[in-house]
Amino acid sequence: MLELCYRKGCLWYSWKDAAWEYDLDSVFAEFDTEAYGGQLSTSFILKRLQDLPTSSRAILAWGSLLGNTFSFSFVQKLLGDSLQNVDNHPHQTTTSTIKSSTTASLRLTETAVDGLQAALQAYILVPTAEDDSFSFSHDRYVQASASLRECQNVENMHFQIAQTLMKYSNLDSRSLYAKAQHICQAESLIKDRVHHRSSYREILIQAAQRAIDSGARPTALQYYNVCLNLMQPNPWDAAPDVYYDETLDVFTRTAQLCSHQGLLERARRLASEALEATRVGSDRAPLWIITSRLLSQQGDIAGAFQALKTSMIEQGVEWEKSLTLDELDHHYDELQRRIQQADKADALLKPLVADPARATLGAILAEAISAAFWSEATMFYQVASTMVHQHLILDATFHQMGLSFAYFSMIAVVRKSDVAFAIQCQDIGQRMLEQHKDSYTYGRGLALRAMFTDGFRIPIRDHIPILEESIEHAQVAGDKHAYLLATGLIASCRLYQGDDMADVENYCAFAAEDFGDWSKDVSGPLGHASFSSVC
């Protein structure tokens, strides 16, 4: 404010009186506002920026979209791309055209340097440790710069930034997220002006995958939604800028994220469209898993299991008729004999299946066990026995196979009351899960271990750290059912070890709030509901 008063002649130094003097009426006129303190808002800073040269305002406008710190060379490319981009009109590339473009580029460089110098002198920008990078001296300057007249067509500016990043990515150290964000902001212009958009989609897919790994699934869903919009009108048909594997991956992952975020209807539509367009059963397997989970969340457990059964049939698995309990008990006795006679090293050190088409079968079988767990006891018995049998007869295994031994240990306890054999199966399954360390299967395996076998081996208070680790893996994998199961088991442990009932009730109410209205879910929150009622 003092600097503005000095520049406007409201404040000056009197050499005669050796003191600073001011004109109060001029100060009031300069800072006249409708409300007290209003001039101290962004409008005051904007007024100061408007006094800067045009080149300075242009640099600040572009810099505000790039972030608090930006590369001056990159801003120069943004300012002069229209002059230097002669490859957009190759038929006009003549000697005179190149000379005029070079001359204009030199003039632009000189003007940009002058504009940068003015912004530095006004202390709006400050240099950084890198020679080519500059930062805004305050966040308020970033907000005010975004309100300049030079920054009115924001979508077009994001489009130019996205294009320049694709062309001169070596000149700017912007993170993958920043590139993806500019593409999202310029979505409609990219769709209208760029026909081959695979490079933009590739950046969005990479950013979305990194966001998933970091646990930021809403951000990943935003990137995948833009990626879907940047696809061609018929993304499943053979055409330029259409790639079957990319389309299948984007539809599958978007449906998974929609399911995780509670957008069940949209997830169902995406999965249905992809199921109709896919070519082979192994491609449809992840989509059938998503469909099964959606049906399970809606309470249709039978339909969820039928979807998985359909996928197994598509992959050539011969599904036996439903066996009776006597037949399953006979099968159990045979498997028990083979497990007890087998060399434990051979059982544990089998390599993973290399064929991706066969690898999807393991995911389908693991989901089938989980679906049958809540509804069909006989079918659960049959699928668990089938998975253990497959592991014993095949040369390679699936990384989900550790779950089958965990479920088989439950059968040994509940059906046969054979605690020693149950602990043996649990140890085999646990070592297999630790060998492959997949978050989805490992989180479920820890919960099953605490639920069925650890009660015979360790005190109840020691269950809680195991279940907390299960919760961490379930959060990473986005496994809602395992998360609810583990938190419900923690509530039971706290109740059984004598914790205050009010604390247990509060834990049941708030432990699973990250998943929205979990009380409407059919499988998973039974522990929360039952122990809340007891408390």
Side-chain angles (χ1 to χ4, degrees), residues 115-158:
L116 175 64
Q117 187 64 32
L120 290 171
Q121 289 176 348
Y123 197 65
I124 296 172
L125 295 179
V126 293
T128 64
E130 299 180 8
D131 293 339
D132 188 49
S133 296
F134 298 88
S135 297
F136 285 90
S137 60
H138 197 279
D139 291 342
R140 296 281 290 275
Y141 285 130
V142 181
Q143 301 172 14
S145 298
S147 303
L148 288 168
R149 183 177 64 254
E150 289 79 3
C151 198
Q152 292 303 308
N153 195 354
V154 177
E155 186 177 11
N156 188 64
M157 295 177 73
H158 281 294

Side-chain angles (χ1 to χ4, degrees), residues 1-45:
M1 294 178 69
L2 290 173
E3 182 185 359
L4 179 63
C5 290
Y6 183 75
R7 286 190 291 108
K8 294 295 185 178
C10 306
L11 176 70
W12 63 90
Y13 185 78
S14 173
W15 294 98
K16 178 180 179 181
D17 300 327
W20 288 93
E21 297 180 356
Y22 59 90
D23 183 350
L24 189 58
D25 293 335
S26 299
V27 173
F28 284 158
E30 189 64 37
F31 297 104
D32 183 33
T33 58
E34 296 181 359
Y36 177 76
Q39 194 66 26
L40 298 179
S41 63
T42 305
S43 60
F44 165 69
I45 303 175

Side-chain angles (χ1 to χ4, degrees), residues 424-443:
Q424 180 184 355
C425 289
Q426 180 62 63
D427 290 341
I428 294 174
Q430 186 65 27
R431 292 182 61 184
M432 293 174 67
L433 291 172
E434 291 175 351
Q435 182 181 2
H436 306 302
K437 207 70 173 185
D438 173 66
S439 291
Y440 181 81
T441 55
Y442 192 69

Side-chain angles (χ1 to χ4, degrees), residues 509-530:
F510 298 110
E513 63 182 359
D514 291 342
F515 285 94
D517 191 3
W518 52 265
S519 61
K520 295 182 179 179
D521 201 304
V522 175
S523 55
L526 299 177
H528 301 76
S530 58

Side-chain angles (χ1 to χ4, degrees), residues 396-462:
T397 188
F398 313 110
H399 70 263
Q400 299 93 347
M401 196 59 73
L403 277 181
S404 66
F405 280 89
Y407 284 118
F408 204 65
S409 69
M410 186 206 78
I411 295 172
V413 171
V414 176
R415 178 77 180 164
K416 298 294 184 177
S417 300
D418 191 344
V419 176
F421 180 63
I423 292 175
Q424 180 184 355
C425 289
Q426 180 62 63
D427 290 341
I428 294 174
Q430 186 65 27
R431 292 182 61 184
M432 293 174 67
L433 291 172
E434 291 175 351
Q435 182 181 2
H436 306 302
K437 207 70 173 185
D438 173 66
S439 291
Y440 181 81
T441 55
Y442 192 69
R444 290 200 171 198
L446 289 174
L448 293 171
R449 166 187 164 185
M451 189 175 185
F452 294 110
T453 58
D454 276 354
F456 299 105
R457 312 169 74 175
I458 59 177
I460 290 179
R461 63 177 178 273
D462 294 336

Side-chain angles (χ1 to χ4, degrees), residues 131-333:
D131 293 339
D132 188 49
S133 296
F134 298 88
S135 297
F136 285 90
S137 60
H138 197 279
D139 291 342
R140 296 281 290 275
Y141 285 130
V142 181
Q143 301 172 14
S145 298
S147 303
L148 288 168
R149 183 177 64 254
E150 289 79 3
C151 198
Q152 292 303 308
N153 195 354
V154 177
E155 186 177 11
N156 188 64
M157 295 177 73
H158 281 294
F159 174 68
Q160 292 185 49
I161 293 173
Q163 280 199 314
T164 308
L165 282 171
M166 304 297 291
K167 190 175 181 181
Y168 306 106
S169 58
N170 60 314
L171 293 180
D172 191 81
S173 59
R174 308 237 67 83
S175 69
L176 184 63
Y177 289 136
K179 294 178 183 179
Q181 197 61 36
H182 288 300
I183 294 174
C184 292
Q185 295 293 334
E187 172 191 343
S188 60
L189 288 181
I190 293 174
K191 190 172 183 178
D192 292 339
R193 300 181 186 180
V194 182
H195 181 65
H196 293 279
R197 302 183 284 269
S198 59
S199 56
Y200 297 94
R201 297 196 300 268
E202 182 180 357
I203 288 179
L204 290 171
I205 292 172
Q206 292 175 2
Q209 188 56 49
R210 185 176 296 181
I212 292 173
D213 295 338
S214 303
R217 287 183 174 80
T219 301
L221 180 58
Q222 176 194 359
Y223 293 153
Y224 273 123
N225 284 333
V226 175
C227 190
L228 282 173
N229 293 334
L230 292 182
M231 287 185 170
Q232 297 300 323
N234 299 311
W236 299 102
D237 298 338
D241 195 44
V242 173
Y243 307 96
Y244 173 79
D245 291 339
E246 178 197 43
T247 303
L248 176 62
D249 179 67
V250 171
F251 267 76
T252 302
R253 293 185 180 274
T254 307
Q256 289 174 340
L257 289 170
C258 287
S259 174
H260 183 272
Q261 296 301 119
L263 305 174
L264 304 185
E265 182 58 30
R266 186 162 188 268
R268 186 194 62 78
R269 290 199 306 268
L270 290 170
S272 298
E273 180 180 347
L275 281 171
E276 294 177 0
T278 45
R279 301 170 182 173
V280 295
S282 58
D283 291 342
R284 283 193 284 270
L287 297 166
W288 280 121
I289 291 176
I290 296 171
T291 302
S292 173
R293 293 177 182 174
L294 292 173
L295 293 172
S296 177
Q297 291 184 46
Q298 295 170 1
D300 187 1
I301 304 298
F305 185 81
Q306 184 61 38
L308 298 170
K309 184 177 178 180
T310 301
S311 179
M312 286 186 281
I313 293 174
E314 287 179 350
Q315 295 187 67
V317 176
E318 295 183 1
W319 189 259
E320 299 181 8
K321 63 179 181 66
S322 298
L323 302 178
T324 64
L325 287 175
D326 291 337
E327 291 172 328
L328 289 171
D329 286 338
H330 177 74
H331 196 195
Y332 170 90
D333 294 336

